């Protein structure tokens, strides 16, 4: 039998060798801490503290501002300096709580008992909600909402995305190597919510060591299975992962739950474990700092709210001037123009690329080679969609199934004419989604 996969996709240079063998290193912040009130999909959180208040590490400092929203917790002890707009990864200012770190890391009292075996489904969901957990793979969708489908018993698969298919990123790899039991522990907690579900860990076959470790851990566990996936980008995209691991298909108007699936990434599942078993909120994460412009690529365990620029210092600084800085991976990450921004729950990596790695060139006219169509995992026509986007023709864009694009960037990557197809399509999709939200 061939390896599990999906149709389309690409095989970019993965660049993972720079940091994959660097064990997770804990680092502490130096400067002020900044906690944007909007670092998740949904309504911004509402501040619970004001200027002059003393806060403890782990204290809830902002409360979910709606059903689809998430609590925010401080990662340090110290004094609130301000609640004011600060620049974030997206380049826009977001209202944020600024805390002067006293470097004592005095912990807030935890009201949790550790006897998790007795917890009801409702209590498990409440702990996840209280801990402010959101999808840490980049999307930032509140996890307690994702884990509350209409009917629990219609969920057949809880899929854990351990693919880490984005080039350069190694934070999930290190998690799997160093804390595999927490991934399994988190998955077992989630499985308690869905009585008919099986757990599936989807791992690309370029990580045989992770496949081995996790397979050994679940040996004899009839409810959890490790599935080896073909190494191909974007193997970890939600729709592609569901298809590869279960053979089920969903489209843009369906939720994974409509196909009997719930999908979470490896880091999010560890956050679930920490919240439910240890009573810890989501206020730290693993961040890969890598790229050929950085002296000592690393995987750091960092506190949320810490400044991105401190990551560069911790990784030995630049060995040459970076041509491009990206938050996240090279395919779906966000280009940064300023490093004076805070690390949030969804910051997976800081990529510092050299001129050679960026290799930018000017777009030229389309030569109708068809490569963009052949790699598109959304099975749409990137050229025609990009042309609709340029004309702002949303009607034609929708007729051509533009919303089935998963914004993976494969089309732009293979285009010999260097046309930024994905960028145009993405802008059009965002515009349509925004106008739907307003309606
Ligand atoms: S059109 Fe969308 S789904 Fe298809 S390759 Fe381009 S970015 Fe990916
Ligand atoms: S890959 Fe580029 S050049 Fe080829 S058909 Fe698509 S847009 Fe045109």
């Amino acid at each position: 039998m061939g390896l599990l996969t999906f149709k389309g996709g690409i095989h970019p240079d993965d660049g993972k060798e720079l940091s994959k063998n660097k064990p997770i290193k804990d680092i502490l912040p130096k400067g002020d801490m900044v906690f944007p009130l909007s670092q998740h999909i949904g309504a911004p959180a509402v501040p619970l503290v004001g200027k002059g208040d003393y806060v403890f590490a782990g204290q809830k400092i902002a409360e979910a501002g709606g059903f689809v929203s998430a609590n925010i917790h401080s990662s340090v002890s110290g004094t609130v300096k301000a609640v004011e707009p600060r620049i974030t990864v997206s380049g826009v200012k977001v209202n944020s709580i600024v805390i002067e770190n006293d470097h004592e890391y005095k912990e807030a009292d935890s009201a949790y008992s550790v006897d998790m075996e007795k917890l009801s489904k409702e209590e498990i969901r409440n702990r996840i909600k209280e801990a402010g957990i959101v999808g840490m793979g980049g999307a930032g969708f509140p996890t307690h909402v994702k884990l509350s489908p209409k009917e629990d018993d219609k969920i057949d698969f809880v899929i854990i995305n351990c693919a880490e298919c984005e080039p350069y990123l190694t934070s999930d790899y290190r998690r799997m190597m160093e804390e595999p039991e927490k991934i399994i522990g988190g998955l077992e907690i989630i499985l308690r919510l869905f009585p008919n579900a099986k757990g599936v860990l989807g791992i690309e076959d370029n990580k045989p060591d992770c496949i081995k470790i996790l397979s050994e851990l679940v040996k004899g566990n009839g409810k959890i299975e490790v599935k080896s996936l073909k190494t191909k980008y974007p193997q970890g995209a939600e729709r592609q992962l569901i298809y590869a691991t279960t053979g089920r298909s969903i489209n843009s108007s369906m939720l994974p739950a409509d196909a009997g699936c719930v999908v979470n990434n490896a880091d999010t599942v560890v956050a679930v474990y920490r919240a439910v078993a240890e009573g810890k909120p989501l206020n730290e994460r693993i961040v890969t700092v890598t790229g050929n412009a950085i002296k000592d690529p690393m995987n750091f365990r960092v506190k949320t709210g810490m400044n991105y620029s401190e990551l560069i210092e911790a990784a030995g600084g630049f060995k040459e001037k970076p041509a491009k800085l990206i938050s996240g991976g090279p395919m779906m990450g966000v280009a940064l123009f300023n490093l004076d921004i805070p690390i949030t729950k969804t910051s997976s990596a800081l990529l510092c690329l050299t001129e050679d790695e960026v290799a930018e060139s000017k777009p030229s006219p389309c030569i109708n080679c068809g490569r963009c169509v052949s790699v598109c995992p959304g099975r749409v026509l990137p050229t025609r969609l990009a042309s609709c986007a340029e004309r702002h023709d949303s009607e034609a864009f929708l007729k051509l199934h533009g919303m089935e694009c998963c914004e993976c960037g494969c089309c732009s990557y293979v285009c010999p004419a260097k046309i930024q197809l994905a960028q145009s399509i993405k802008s059009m999709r965002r515009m349509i989604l925004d106008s739907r939200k307003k309606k």
Side-chain angles (χ1 to χ4, degrees):
M1 194 181 111
L3 275 166
L4 301 170
T5 191
F6 61 96
K7 293 187 184 115
I10 55 172
H11 299 91
D13 283 344
D14 78 0
K16 291 183 192 282
E17 69 289 348
L18 290 172
S19 58
K20 75 183 278 248
N21 294 322
K22 303 287 184 68
I24 298 167
K25 184 177 174 189
D26 288 272
I27 53 169
L28 290 175
K30 292 182 175 167
D32 287 346
M33 306 295 284
V34 176
F35 300 88
L37 294 170
S38 197
Q39 46 180 293
H40 48 259
I41 286 180
V46 179
L48 297 171
V49 293
K51 189 174 173 183
D53 288 347
Y54 186 81
V55 300
F56 292 91
Q59 181 178 330
K60 183 161 72 174
I61 52 173
E63 187 148 58
F67 176 63
V68 181
S69 183
N71 295 335
I72 293 168
H73 300 77
S74 178
S75 56
V76 299
S77 54
T79 306
V80 177
K81 269 176 101 172
V83 179
E84 62 184 22
R86 288 292 185 103
I87 298 271
T88 58
V89 158
S90 60
V92 296
K93 283 190 172 180
V94 170
N95 210 22
S96 306
I97 298 172
V98 183
I99 296 176
E100 186 176 356
N101 184 3
D102 66 7
H103 303 280
E104 293 188 23
Y105 302 99
K106 285 186 231 156
E107 295 267 349
D109 288 339
S110 172
Y112 294 121
S113 74
V114 285
D115 191 3
M116 64 169 188
E117 294 312 315
K118 292 197 182 120
L119 290 176
S120 66
K121 286 194 205 179
E122 197 189 343
E123 285 167 320
I124 291 174
R125 287 192 171 103
N126 271 339
R127 283 192 177 194
I128 293 168
K129 180 181 176 191
E130 201 45 41
I133 301 175
V134 302
M136 294 166 76
F141 191 79
T143 303
H144 66 278
V145 181
K146 204 179 222 188
L147 297 181
S148 307
K150 274 190 209 132
E151 293 167 287
D152 291 346
D153 53 3
K154 294 262 168 75
I155 299 299
D156 304 317
F157 297 101
V158 174
I159 304 164
I160 307 306
N161 178 4
C162 300
E164 199 165 52
C165 61
E166 265 268 6
Y168 290 91
L169 271 51
T170 55
S171 55
D172 286 350
Y173 174 78
R174 292 310 318 171
R175 267 289 192 212
M176 287 186 268
M177 293 301 291
E178 297 181 47
E179 299 177 334
E181 67 293 335
K182 289 190 181 170
I183 298 176
I184 303 299
L187 174 54
E188 280 174 335
I189 289 167
I190 296 174
L191 283 171
R192 283 171 58 186
L193 302 173
F194 306 110
N196 300 323
K198 279 200 147 194
V200 176
L201 297 143
I203 311 175
E204 282 190 334
D205 66 338
N206 63 350
K207 303 176 190 71
D209 35 10
C210 299
I211 292 174
K212 187 163 174 258
I213 289 175
L214 286 159
S215 298
E216 269 163 20
L217 272 180
V218 300
K219 204 184 270 171
N221 183 332
K223 293 253 325 177
I224 302 179
E225 191 184 350
V226 173
K227 290 202 175 185
S228 176
L229 311 173
K230 186 169 178 179
T231 299
K232 185 166 67 162
Y233 177 84
Q235 190 65 262
E238 198 163 70
R239 283 181 235 163
Q240 283 64 40
L241 186 64
I242 290 173
Y243 182 77
T245 53
T246 70
R248 298 181 181 185
S249 301
I250 60 167
N251 60 36
S252 64
S253 56
M254 294 166 77
L255 292 170
D258 296 330
C261 300
V262 165
V263 184
N264 284 284
N265 98 317
D267 230 8
T268 312
V269 175
V270 172
V272 166
Y273 178 82
R274 292 181 77 240
V276 179
E278 299 172 354
K280 303 266 192 231
L282 173 50
N283 60 1
E284 65 169 44
R285 65 158 303 138
I286 315 291
V287 179
T288 304
V289 182
T290 187
N292 279 313
I294 204 87
K295 257 192 203 143
D296 193 9
M298 294 289 287
N299 298 288
F300 293 118
R301 190 188 326 266
V302 301
K303 299 195 177 295
T304 54
M306 182 173 152
N307 197 286
Y308 263 77
S309 58
E310 292 182 27
L311 292 174
I312 304 286
E313 203 186 318
F318 293 124
K319 68 178 179 206
E320 68 179 88
K321 194 170 180 284
K324 197 169 188 178
L325 297 167
I326 298 173
S327 172
M331 300 301 295
M332 293 189 80
V334 180
L336 298 175
F337 300 97
N338 177 5
L339 281 176
D340 184 16
I341 50 171
I343 290 160
T344 64
K345 298 173 188 179
T346 57
S347 311
S348 57
L350 173 58
L351 195 50
C352 309
L353 301 176
T354 59
E355 204 78 54
D356 287 351
E357 288 170 295
V358 174
E360 276 185 358
S361 49
K362 286 211 174 104
S364 54
C366 170
I367 54 166
N368 291 317
C369 67
R371 283 190 210 171
C372 54
V373 180
S374 67
V375 297
C376 176
R379 316 316 288 160
V380 289
L381 301 169
T383 35
R384 293 189 59 191
L385 289 175
S387 119
C388 296
E390 268 157 40
R391 299 193 314 270
H392 301 287
D393 186 347
S394 56
E395 209 176 308
F397 186 88
L398 290 171
K399 267 194 197 147
L400 288 166
H401 308 289
M403 300 314 277
E404 301 311 314
C405 163
C406 64
E407 302 181 4
C408 65
C410 291
C411 48
S412 301
Y413 182 84
V414 295
C415 177
K418 302 291 171 211
I419 302 170
Q420 292 302 312
L421 301 154
Q423 215 169 324
S424 316
I425 298 167
K426 186 173 165 182
S427 309
M428 191 76 199
R429 284 188 85 250
R430 297 290 158 98
M431 217 178 74
I432 294 171
L433 288 171
D434 282 351
S435 76
R436 281 180 184 171
K437 251 189 238 161
K438 275 181 201 143
K439 275 180 202 159

